[in-house]
Amino acid sequence: MVSAWRGNEADSVRNEGNKADRVPYYRPGLGQDVLLQGIAKEFRESITQNESDFEIKQTFCFLFASNTLKSTFEHGDSDYPEQRNSLNQPGNGRPETEKCDLSKGRWTQDARGPLYTNFSCKTLPYQRNCFLHGRMDRDFLQWRWKPDQCDLPVFNPRSFLNIVKGKTMGFIGDSLARNHMNSLLCLLSEEETPHEVYREDEEGKTIIWHLPRNNFTIMVLWSPFLVSASEMAVNGTETGGFHLHLDKIDESWVQKLPALDYAILSATNWFFRPNYVYEGGHFLGCIYCSDPNVTHLGPDIVIQGAFRLAFKSINDCNSCSRIVTLLRTFSPSQFENGTWNTGGTCKRTRPFAPEEINNGGLDLVYRNAQLAEIDNARKLGEEKGRAFDVIDVTEAMLMRPDGHPGLHWDNRWNKGLSDCLHWCLPGPVDTWNEFLLELLQRHSSFPLSSRSHAAAEIEKLVLQQ
């Protein structure tokens, strides 16, 4: 069953971003009949597989028309100007938030809802479009994160793009890194539509998006362990477990570091499987294996080792210029009444209060394992013109069991299984980018290098396609 879990992740990589996965554009004030005609036309044009797919999408069209669209049209015209006005307030709360610990707080109700919809975002991936897959409730969209020490400003795409104009940002990790990036693409699309300009292969292990008006480039780099890993096979069949080498970095992402101004690291969730761990040519032990006479390692030990090497590789990158590295902390899965493959679900429709998360348990252990090496990385980075900081989302996301797709995702390969790991778009994951914007503002005085070198690196990637 491990390989089936692995299949969920692999399918996530393979299917996100396909042209047929785009959704129709929603603009407040557009007549409902016109919009529905546009939906029908775009769905018809996107049908390239078989008749059963068409029937499924017809069903989803009906769900939109009967529920989501009704609510959107009832509130869209009045809410949208208010949201746009909030976007045009650059710098709100800067002195207050400069030293604020964003990670401590609670979710508070906010009737304005998200800054984009599953209609307005043209880049929203098929698997994360929970309304398209039948989710009926909208209340989970009407909550905002409120840090204890300050107010966190609403995401402002114009302010974000002013900071990153002419720069390149890379999201490095597994499918949750992609989830984070897709949220950012949707938020920025309120100001400028991103264009996909490069895809490495069918699985999209490297994807590059560009916003030409602001000359801003976003890359997603697939590296679920950050370190060198090779999948184990038995009689020619892949098992879903890996050989991990804590002294060998995954060169697939490190080779692209010279192109980056900002690197966002986040891999953790692939460590929770039967993995065999090596360092210095020696076998250290394994995670979640049943082998006798083998040292059993906790995932936190291996996670810490992987991030130690990742940070070291960034600081040791001789061909890199100045770079800001942000660690996005562990995002928990939230299955209840079972695991992912034993009937576990996530059906909640409201956030938890801070006192309801029981100190986070192992989730905070894994977060702390990521953080254990950050101070040392900062000290070494100061000597080499590198900055390190943390997008600490773990406690906030522990309170959001209502934000996952559940059964409302593209689970055609795993019928009946819930996705309680990834996040709906729009949804609570958008808060990660409010954290990101705040950290970029804090580091806005950090002197980044000329972009001629990085532009050449990106051009090489595109030309190699």
Side-chain angles (χ1 to χ4, degrees):
M1 294 302 290
V2 171
S3 60
W5 186 94
R6 173 188 169 279
N8 289 344
E9 288 277 1
D11 294 336
S12 163
V13 176
R14 182 161 42 250
N15 290 294
E16 289 178 2
N18 293 337
K19 290 183 179 178
D21 297 343
R22 303 293 185 260
V23 294
Y25 180 74
Y26 163 68
R27 184 173 71 253
L30 186 66
Q32 183 168 352
D33 291 341
V34 174
L35 178 60
L36 289 175
Q37 290 171 11
I39 295 172
K41 179 177 183 293
E42 191 154 343
F43 273 2
R44 284 195 300 270
E45 292 174 350
S46 72
I47 300 303
T48 59
Q49 297 181 22
N50 53 49
E51 293 182 358
S52 63
D53 284 344
F54 181 67
E55 292 171 357
I56 291 170
K57 292 185 178 181
Q58 281 184 315
T59 302
F60 293 148
C61 246
F62 172 78
L63 290 173
F64 272 131
S66 60
N67 292 280
T68 308
L69 280 179
K70 180 177 184 295
S71 180
T72 302
F73 275 96
E74 287 175 349
H75 301 289
D77 288 338
S78 60
D79 288 353
Y80 188 75
E82 181 181 355
Q83 292 178 357
R84 290 299 299 178
N85 289 337
S86 71
L87 295 180
N88 296 328
Q89 309 284 334
N92 282 352
R94 289 298 308 134
E96 182 186 21
T97 58
E98 189 68 40
K99 296 182 179 180
C100 173
D101 181 357
L102 303 178
S103 69
K104 303 292 184 182
R106 66 176 56 242
W107 293 91
T108 59
Q109 286 189 298
D110 183 350
R112 292 175 297 176
L115 298 183
Y116 65 92
T117 72
N118 56 325
F119 290 105
S120 69
C121 178
K122 301 289 284 184
T123 63
L124 197 154
Y126 186 58
Q127 285 194 318
R128 307 293 168 251
N129 193 342
C130 297
F131 291 127
L132 178 64
H133 293 288
R135 181 159 185 170
M136 310 296 277
D137 64 298
R138 296 178 77 249
D139 290 347
F140 77 101
L141 298 178
Q142 297 180 334
W143 296 84
R144 276 189 51 76
W145 179 248
K146 172 63 176 72
D148 291 335
Q149 301 171 354
C150 62
D151 288 321
L152 181 65
V154 172
F155 185 88
N156 185 328
R158 189 171 303 168
S159 291
F160 190 100
L161 289 169
N162 283 341
I163 294 172
V164 300
K165 187 182 295 287
K167 303 296 189 293
T168 301
M169 178 176 289
F171 290 81
I172 304 162
D174 55 25
S175 56
L176 281 166
R178 194 174 303 254
N179 206 173
H180 186 183
M181 179 209 66
N182 283 318
S183 165
L184 179 62
L185 292 176
C186 285
L187 289 164
L188 295 180
S189 68
E190 294 296 303
E191 188 69 25
E192 180 182 0
T193 301
H195 301 280
E196 183 181 313
V197 296
Y198 172 81
R199 181 176 290 259
E200 181 177 319
D201 53 27
E202 289 185 2
E203 292 187 348
K205 291 182 178 178
T206 297
I207 306 175
I208 301 177
W209 296 79
H210 189 59
L211 288 78
R213 196 168 75 237
N214 289 275
N215 191 23
F216 175 49
T217 303
I218 301 176
M219 305 173 67
V220 61
L221 307 175
W222 176 259
S223 183
F225 299 104
L226 301 178
V227 298
S228 176
S230 58
E231 187 164 6
M232 294 180 290
V234 176
N235 297 325
T237 301
E238 295 177 339
T239 65
F242 287 77
H243 296 291
L244 307 182
H245 299 271
L246 295 182
D247 57 342
K248 297 179 182 178
I249 199 67
D250 178 0
E251 293 290 344
S252 68
W253 69 269
V254 170
Q255 290 175 353
K256 299 177 179 69
L257 276 177
L260 302 183
D261 296 287
Y262 304 98
I264 302 173
L265 273 64
S266 60
T268 44
N269 290 284
W270 281 54
F271 288 90
F272 309 119
R273 54 178 66 215
N275 293 319
Y276 290 74
V277 184
Y278 306 82
E279 189 170 22
H282 301 290
F283 175 58
L284 300 183
C286 65
I287 306 171
Y288 296 140
C289 68
S290 57
D291 299 16
N293 303 319
V294 169
T295 301
H296 294 274
L297 304 174
D300 55 311
I301 296 173
V302 186
I303 290 170
Q304 181 174 343
F307 277 90
R308 180 190 305 122
L309 185 62
F311 295 150
K312 182 179 184 300
S313 298
I314 292 172
N315 276 326
D316 289 349
C317 179
N318 294 325
S319 57
C320 294
S321 300
R322 293 179 179 273
I323 186 171
V324 175
T325 299
L326 301 174
L327 162 64
R328 196 268 296 153
T329 63
F330 181 65
S331 173
S333 62
Q334 294 174 299
F335 292 91
E336 296 186 73
N337 303 313
T339 60
W340 70 269
N341 60 347
T342 61
T345 59
C346 40
K347 297 180 179 180
R348 295 183 183 270
T349 57
R350 291 177 60 87
F352 286 137
E355 55 271 18
E356 294 179 276
I357 62 174
N358 299 320
N359 298 319
L362 285 175
D363 295 317
L364 289 184
V365 171
Y366 303 138
R367 164 202 176 262
N368 294 339
Q370 291 176 296
L371 294 176
E373 302 295 328
I374 196 75
D375 286 339
N376 189 49
R378 281 192 180 115
K379 292 175 184 176
L380 294 175
E382 289 174 0
E383 303 171 3
K384 300 189 177 186
R386 315 271 161 80
F388 289 82
D389 213 327
V390 179
I391 308 172
D392 192 350
V393 303
T394 305
E395 290 193 42
M397 305 316 286
L398 279 168
M399 301 179 206
R400 293 309 306 266
D402 56 326
H404 302 285
L407 289 172
H408 308 299
W409 65 290
D410 181 27
N411 60 350
R412 70 185 78 172
W413 292 280
N414 295 282
K415 295 292 185 183
L417 296 183
S418 292
D419 180 356
C420 304
L421 172 66
H422 301 96
W423 303 93
C424 291
L425 293 175
V429 69
D430 296 323
T431 300
W432 299 6
N433 287 307
E434 293 180 333
F435 281 35
L436 173 58
L437 175 54
E438 171 59 27
L439 291 176
L440 293 184
Q441 290 173 322
R442 294 181 186 183
H443 289 277
S444 60
S445 61
F446 184 77
L448 295 170
S449 302
S450 167
R451 298 316 305 139
S452 57
H453 178 63
E457 293 290 335
I458 295 171
E459 185 178 4
K460 280 194 292 186
L461 281 174
V462 175
L463 290 177
Q464 288 169 2
Q465 188 176 22

